[in-house]
Amino acid sequence: MKIVVFGASRGVGLKVVEQALEAGHTVTAFVRSPEKFGVKHANLTVFKGDSMDAIAVENAIAGQEAVISALGPSRPPVPHMMEISAKNIVAGMKKHRIRRLVSTTGAGVRQPEDQPKLIDHFIGFLLNLLAKDVVLDSAANVKVIQASDLEWTVVRYPRLMDGEHTRKYQIGFVSKESGTQLSRADGADFVLKELTEKKWLNKLPLVSY
């Protein structure tokens, strides 16, 4: 597929780019600083832009078959960055008639299907205490996507860490069985799998160990 990846410069987004290229996809990596982006490949285009710039987002989406957004909060956080970025991505996809979107967010964005255990409540309390604006912006980002008529999946992650690409993880909702960690490589693995399999359309699965 021809895929544009937002948030491609680090974390899960960078792993998505690497794994997508390995799988034979044609990838456009949307980054702020192309000169700092170290990945090179015959099937890779590096697109310079800011996700809060609607025109840049729209131009990057043109000609693609699917969109992956692995955007995360900046440091220091930019107010409403995630929400505005989601609005730009949804608008760009609608203009260019692209249907498939896989986005990522944190496990702190709760869903009705969740049955959080004590540690999940504690983590949620800390997030709201220490990073309330980020949590609210992430939730607003998700609401924008949910309100669209796209074929979307929002993948939720617990604490992400560097680690091996095991391809072994569980998928579901926050529960007694769900874990509190996941490697970025395995986070990217599920994003690319779900992109084509579409088993979690219009849902917010939690992926964890």
Side-chain angles (χ1 to χ4, degrees):
M1 296 179 72
K2 294 181 69 176
I3 305 165
V4 58
V5 181
F6 292 91
S9 62
R10 59 186 175 93
V12 171
L14 179 57
K15 295 296 183 184
V16 165
V17 170
E18 294 171 347
Q19 292 178 24
L21 291 169
E22 289 173 9
H25 297 294
T26 300
V27 180
T28 296
F30 187 96
V31 298
R32 288 182 183 175
S33 304
E35 67 278 2
K36 297 179 182 178
F37 193 70
V39 181
K40 298 187 185 302
H41 195 281
N43 291 336
L44 174 68
T45 299
V46 181
F47 189 105
K48 181 177 181 178
D50 187 316
S51 61
M52 294 181 74
D53 179 346
I55 300 300
V57 170
E58 180 187 308
N59 289 339
I61 289 174
Q64 307 292 340
E65 293 176 301
V67 176
I68 294 173
S69 174
L71 290 167
S74 58
R75 300 181 183 88
V78 176
H80 307 293
M81 186 275 284
M82 300 289 291
E83 180 181 12
I84 293 169
S85 298
K87 288 180 178 178
N88 290 341
I89 289 170
V90 168
M93 291 180 69
K94 287 184 176 180
K95 177 164 184 177
H96 293 292
R97 298 181 182 179
I98 297 164
R99 300 285 302 152
R100 187 65 175 127
L101 169 64
V102 180
S103 188
T104 66
T105 194
V109 178
R110 293 282 188 246
Q111 290 302 293
E113 299 94 338
D114 291 341
Q115 297 179 331
K117 51 190 179 293
L118 186 59
I119 185 65
D120 299 315
H121 285 296
F122 180 67
I123 292 170
F125 170 77
L126 285 179
L127 284 171
N128 279 293
L129 183 66
L130 302 174
K132 187 173 183 178
D133 288 346
V134 170
V135 173
L136 290 174
D137 194 22
S138 296
N141 169 294
V142 170
K143 287 180 181 177
V144 170
I145 294 170
Q146 288 176 310
S148 75
D149 60 354
L150 301 172
E151 292 181 356
W152 60 264
T153 303
V154 176
V155 182
R156 293 185 293 163
Y157 297 131
R159 184 167 70 88
L160 290 165
M161 58 186 184
D162 291 329
E164 295 183 10
H165 184 187
T166 70
R167 299 177 177 85
K168 297 177 182 178
Y169 42 79
Q170 56 177 326
I171 310 153
F173 295 99
V174 178
S175 69
K176 292 179 179 179
E177 287 73 39
S178 60
T180 58
Q181 292 184 338
L182 185 74
S183 75
R184 293 176 177 88
D186 281 335
D189 184 273
F190 177 74
V191 164
L192 288 168
K193 187 182 294 184
E194 171 59 20
L195 183 72
T196 54
E197 290 183 356
K198 300 182 180 180
K199 290 183 177 179
W200 293 83
L201 275 179
N202 305 129
K203 293 181 180 178
L204 288 92
L206 174 76
V207 184
S208 69
Y209 291 137

